[in-house]
Amino acid sequence: DLDHWIRPTGSSEFNTIEKAINCLVTSLKGTINNLKIREEELLEELGKRWKAEENYRRLFESAHEAIFILKDTRIESCNNAATHLIGMNMKEIIGKELFEFSPPTQPDGRDSKEASREIIRRVTQGDLSIIEWDFMKKDGKILNTQAQCSAILSGDEILVMIIFRDVTELLEMRKREITAISQIEENLVRLAAINDQIDDHGGDQPEKDAGVSGHAREGRDLFGIVCQARQPGAVREGFGHLEASLTPFAEDPVVIP
């Protein structure tokens, strides 16, 4: 009982001992009180950390983009979106390396195994943050992704977090768009060549604008741009000049009898 004090006995030697013991008891009581306060602070801090970790875990699991956490070169953790991305369950993913879910080579032509390890090395050194990566699903389908990479400190270890976004459909749309534009340019240049042949055989004809709608004239303007361009790359520049002169459909409708 630290609240129990030693009663004075009257002897000088015992008085000295009594004072020393009483001082020691007082000091111990102060130390114990400080330890209790520190314990309460630590418990409060630990509770906040647990709450933060729980919030992070919820965000991690509910994220729509695929997240992989790598230790050294191997996957230590991933979220549900990651399993959906490559079509495998957690047990099939954890402990593996990225290249094991990828085609033999990446978009830049590098070997996937060498490329994945080089990416991790550069991310941990702070030299790399954005990458393009191809995955291959079980059925052999190739997935094009873009990813944001970052190094995170966990205790004494450095982990790599990579957030992947599937851009397969976006890249396919861009390819179709480029193909369509190239085809349009090629067809317009062919029309320009045909117009040259007509001019060579028919000579110059006076243009009759009477009764021609605004959109019909704009169509002839567009064709004139193509005839002057001669090169596919110049067609796009011509479109920019024509766009400023176009009128809204509501103001100049095309009437079909």
Side-chain angles (χ1 to χ4, degrees):
D1 184 2
L2 296 179
D3 291 326
H4 179 73
W5 286 70
I6 298 176
R7 295 177 180 179
T9 61
S11 172
S12 60
E13 293 180 358
F14 280 106
N15 286 338
T16 302
I17 295 174
E18 290 163 3
K19 290 180 181 179
I21 293 176
N22 288 334
C23 290
L24 178 60
V25 169
T26 302
S27 176
L28 287 173
K29 287 177 65 177
T31 301
I32 291 173
N33 288 332
N34 291 335
L35 288 174
K36 287 181 178 180
I37 294 173
R38 181 56 180 162
E39 181 182 9
E40 291 175 356
E41 292 175 348
L42 289 174
L43 288 174
E44 184 180 358
E45 183 179 350
L46 186 59
K48 291 180 180 179
R49 289 188 179 183
W50 282 341
K51 186 176 181 179
E53 289 179 3
E54 181 63 22
N55 291 336
Y56 169 78
R57 174 57 59 179
R58 289 178 181 177
L59 291 172
F60 180 77
E61 293 296 342
S62 62
H64 295 294
E65 296 180 335
I67 304 176
F68 292 86
I69 305 295
L70 293 89
K71 180 181 178 181
D72 296 328
T73 61
R74 299 191 176 274
I75 300 170
E76 186 174 76
S77 179
C78 66
N79 64 350
N80 292 327
T83 63
H84 296 154
L85 177 69
I86 60 180
M88 298 183 182
N89 58 46
M90 292 281 188
K91 292 182 179 180
E92 295 175 300
I93 297 175
I94 303 301
K96 302 291 183 63
E97 297 191 42
L98 283 179
F99 75 87
E100 298 183 62
F101 312 108
S102 309
T105 58
Q106 288 301 304
D108 58 4
R110 290 187 299 168
D111 176 79
S112 291
K113 182 176 182 179
E114 296 178 359
S116 64
R117 295 180 175 179
E118 175 67 12
I119 287 170
I120 294 170
R121 184 188 66 81
R122 292 184 61 190
V123 171
T124 55
Q125 294 177 350
D127 296 335
L128 187 65
S129 60
I130 303 295
I131 64 170
E132 293 182 352
W133 189 264
D134 283 355
F135 286 102
M136 185 169 64
K137 305 186 75 170
K138 283 184 176 181
D139 59 4
K141 180 181 178 181
I142 302 297
L143 295 177
N144 310 119
T145 68
Q146 291 180 346
Q148 183 174 0
C149 311
S150 58
I152 54 179
L153 185 62
S154 177
D156 296 332
E157 299 175 333
I158 297 178
L159 305 179
V160 172
M161 180 173 67
I162 308 180
I163 303 176
F164 290 95
R165 182 167 62 96
D166 187 359
V167 295
T168 305
E169 293 185 4
L170 178 61
L171 293 181
E172 288 296 329
M173 289 177 59
R174 288 178 179 174
K175 289 178 182 178
R176 290 195 294 268
E177 180 183 352
I178 292 173
T179 301
I181 291 175
S182 299
Q183 187 64 48
I184 291 172
E185 289 180 338
E186 182 179 344
N187 291 339
L188 290 177
V189 172
R190 289 177 181 176
L191 287 174
I194 293 173
N195 184 73
D196 288 343
Q197 294 178 3
I198 293 174
D199 289 343
D200 292 341
H201 289 84
D204 295 332
Q205 294 291 336
E207 180 175 281
K208 297 180 180 179
D209 286 334
V212 179
S213 69
H215 285 293
R217 288 193 298 273
E218 289 162 1
R220 289 209 307 265
D221 291 342
L222 172 61
F223 190 74
I225 290 172
V226 177
C227 294
Q228 295 175 6
R230 296 297 189 271
Q231 298 296 328
V235 175
R236 300 184 187 183
E237 182 178 355
F239 273 109
H241 296 294
L242 178 64
E243 183 177 0
S245 66
L246 292 178
T247 57
F249 285 101
E251 297 178 7
D252 190 14
V254 177
V255 179
I256 300 176

